[in-house]
Amino acid sequence: MKKAFDFLIQEDKIFGQIVDTYGLPEVIPSRPEGFETLMLLILEQQVSIDSAKATFLRIRASVLEILPEKLVDLTDDEYRVLGVSRQKAKYIRGLSESILANEIDLQSLSQKSSEEVILELIQLKGIGNWTIDIYLMFCLKKEDVFPIGDIAVVNTMKELLGIHTKEEMELYSQKWSPYRSYATFLLWHYYLMKRGRKISYQY
């Protein structure tokens, strides 16, 4: 981790500015591999972390254990009572069905390259680029992921670098390789600290 941050600070002055102002992140986000985290990431799509957390905790209290066999047969109405939209309920059931049918083995992903993981997960309905990027970073500890679909990353790059298109951001991020995940952690750190916010990724 120190090697990555040292590289980034040397490579781009904005990281030195972030660290000088707010220090280094105290914790690097981490979550366990597997179904529970991927289901949680579906809940987190396009909503706040706090909102997704509340929904996740209601589901867990209802089914006691977050397992595909427990979630696959819940109806739309049962999901709605728990705060899950019809669309996300469909995605969660689809993920559950794929696992129960042995169409995907989440535990095997840690042995594969980022590119292989992307090719497998993108086949699942409701699992898009942002969800995969966060899974790669948080669960599989891939060091060179740049989640261009993340609104906090986009807004921070606009603010600090004056870059306004995702194409330009993607191109600019190449200078942070092979540690773009750590660059992202620093951008999130700036975003949260400036707003006086803290996020716990452990539920």
Side-chain angles (χ1 to χ4, degrees):
M1 185 169 65
K2 182 180 184 301
K3 179 181 178 182
F5 286 141
D6 287 347
F7 170 86
L8 293 167
I9 291 168
Q10 180 176 342
E11 192 67 26
D12 197 322
K13 65 181 181 181
I14 68 161
F15 295 121
Q17 293 168 1
I18 290 172
V19 173
D20 287 345
T21 304
Y22 296 116
L24 289 169
E26 293 181 6
V27 177
I28 297 300
S30 176
R31 284 175 173 167
E33 298 174 44
F35 173 75
E36 182 173 299
T37 294
L38 204 50
M39 187 276 282
L40 172 58
L41 289 175
I42 291 173
L43 295 178
E44 289 181 355
Q45 293 169 3
Q46 300 180 316
V47 301
S48 71
I49 295 279
D50 289 340
S51 173
K53 178 178 180 178
T55 302
F56 175 83
L57 292 176
R58 282 195 297 271
I59 295 171
R60 192 166 67 184
S62 176
V63 301
L64 301 181
E65 196 172 4
I66 304 290
L67 296 170
E69 53 267 34
K70 299 241 182 183
L71 297 183
V72 70
D73 291 326
L74 292 184
T75 66
D76 283 346
D77 285 341
E78 288 172 318
Y79 273 115
R80 180 179 53 77
V81 169
L82 295 170
V84 182
S85 70
R86 184 182 297 270
Q87 188 78 296
K88 289 186 178 180
K90 181 179 179 181
Y91 296 159
I92 292 169
R93 277 197 297 266
L95 172 61
S96 302
E97 289 167 356
S98 294
I99 292 171
L100 292 172
N102 295 316
E103 294 171 355
I104 188 165
D105 177 10
L106 297 182
Q107 298 308 313
S108 72
L109 297 182
S110 61
Q111 309 302 318
K112 298 177 180 179
S113 69
S114 294
E115 291 73 20
E116 290 171 321
V117 173
I118 291 167
L119 287 173
E120 284 201 41
L121 291 182
I122 203 70
Q123 304 300 319
L124 300 171
K125 195 163 185 63
I127 306 295
N129 291 324
W130 178 84
T131 303
I132 296 170
D133 286 344
I134 301 304
Y135 194 86
L136 286 169
M137 294 169 66
F138 284 27
C139 303
L140 302 183
K141 309 300 188 293
K142 301 295 187 180
E143 295 187 331
D144 197 30
V145 180
F146 181 60
I148 191 59
D150 188 87
I151 190 66
V153 169
V154 168
N155 286 341
T156 301
M157 290 186 74
K158 286 180 180 178
E159 178 182 343
L160 295 181
L161 296 166
I163 300 175
H164 293 279
T165 71
K166 290 185 177 181
E167 291 76 18
E168 290 175 304
M169 292 177 188
E170 184 72 48
L171 183 62
Y172 188 92
S173 76
Q174 296 299 325
K175 70 188 293 185
W176 302 336
S177 188
Y179 298 116
R180 288 185 296 171
S181 297
Y182 288 95
T184 301
F185 297 144
L186 285 171
L187 295 176
W188 280 337
H189 181 56
Y190 171 89
Y191 182 88
L192 293 170
M193 293 296 289
K194 186 175 182 183
R195 291 158 179 77
R197 293 176 55 198
K198 285 191 175 182
I199 289 178
S200 172
Y201 295 100
Q202 303 301 322
Y203 295 175

